[in-house]
């Protein structure tokens, strides 16, 4: 082989290698998850809930307080916005609190990210957001970010964002709207089902932390679209708790022994198969070693 032929062959091989590496880093691959299936309402709903951990989609949850034995109700607490791009293993969460219930109060949001966001909410910081961006090789977290103007506004990192180099698999630990269960659903109409029994409700829904028991009025209603996927979930979570157990020592004296709050969480699902997970704007300091490890992780996980 002469020198020109050798260089041409070497160039072709290098281009192929870099192209292959680029495909792995970008997580580009054919992706077409099966649609949900099932015969009974329970099977259809459970399979639809599992499907959202395979299919690209967007989910927007609005949280309101509809009842509060401690005072005012009928106001919006905040919103949780999720972008899941499972086909490329990218996920973006934006949790925004606009108005908090009187403290102390259980977290109105589901999952670990809801808990982390809630612990950073103060009366002085409202409105405030938390932004979390996950891939299979890194995560970005900003627990005091600016509140976005709308659900289409690209999320922005706040002060002192954090970067972690690690492989993360998005799962129900972050926010599981419905969990596997054996409760019997009542058919409301075609594609819409509900649970109104407290025991059945507790089986299907992830409950807030730091509550004593559920009150009357718990209900979850699920609507599936024409393809059997989750379209809308309305969750009325009525909880009873001891506010003194959540308060500091100097605040407990003036608090009642029991308080009842009902959170209504309405989640709309859309953009199945087309949703993308936007990387938040803003800068974050990343150690060069972490950048290299992130790249190597992207190359090895596909």
């Amino acid at each position: 082989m002469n020198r020109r032929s050798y260089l041409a062959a070497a160039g072709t091989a290098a281009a192929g290698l870099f192209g292959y590496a680029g495909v792995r880093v970008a997580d580009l691959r054919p992706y077409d998850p099966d649609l949900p299936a099932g015969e009974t309402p329970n099977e259809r709903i459970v399979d639809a809930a599992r499907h959202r951990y395979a299919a690209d989609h967007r989910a927007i949850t609005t949280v309101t307080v509809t009842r509060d034995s401690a005072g005012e109700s009928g106001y919006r607490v905040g919103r949780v916005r999720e972008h899941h791009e499972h086909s490329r293993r990218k996920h973006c969460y934006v949790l925004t609190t606009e108005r908090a219930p009187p403290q102390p109060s259980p977290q109105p949001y589901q999952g670990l990210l809801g808990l982390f966001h809630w612990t950073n909410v103060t009366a002085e910081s409202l409105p405030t957001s938390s932004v979390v961006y996950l891939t299979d090789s890194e995560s970005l977290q900003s627990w005091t970010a600016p509140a976005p103007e709308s659900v289409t506004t690209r999320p922005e990192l706040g002060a002192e964002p954090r970067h972690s180099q690690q492989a993360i698999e998005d799962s129900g630990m972050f926010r599981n709207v419905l969990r596997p269960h054996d409760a019997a659903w009542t058919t409301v109409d075609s594609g819409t089902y509900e649970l109104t029994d407290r025991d059945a409700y507790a089986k299907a829904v992830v409950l807030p932390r730091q509550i004593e028991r559920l009150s009357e009025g718990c209900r979850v209603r699920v609507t599936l679209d024409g393809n059997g996927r989750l379209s809308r979930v309305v969750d009325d979570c009525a909880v009873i708790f001891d506010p003194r157990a959540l308060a500091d020592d100097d605040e407990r004296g003036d608090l009642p022994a029991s308080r009842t709050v009902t959170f209504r969480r309405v989640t709309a699902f859309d953009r199945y198969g087309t949703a993308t997970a936007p990387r938040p704007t803003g800068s974050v300091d990343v150690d060069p070693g972490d950048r290299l490890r992130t790249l190597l992780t992207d190359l090895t996980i596909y």
Side-chain angles (χ1 to χ4, degrees), residues 142-197:
S142 182
W143 302 108
T144 53
E149 295 181 359
S150 72
V151 295
T152 60
T153 304
R154 187 165 187 171
E156 179 183 350
L157 297 174
E160 300 181 355
R162 305 172 187 173
H163 175 273
S164 300
Q165 185 281 315
Q166 55 190 6
I168 294 180
E169 182 67 28
D170 182 77
S171 65
M173 68 179 292
F174 293 121
R175 198 173 90 84
N176 202 341
V177 178
L178 295 168
R179 59 187 181 184
H181 60 275
D182 59 3
W185 292 78
T186 299
T187 301
V188 178
D189 53 39
S190 179
T192 301
Y193 313 90
E194 71 176 8
L195 294 173
T196 55
D197 177 77

Side-chain angles (χ1 to χ4, degrees), residues 33 56 64 72 84 88 93 102 119 137 152 180 211 249 253 256 287:
D56 297 347
T64 60
E72 188 179 356
H84 296 285
R88 297 185 66 185
Y93 291 81
T119 58
S137 60
T152 60
I211 66 170
D249 292 341
D287 181 86

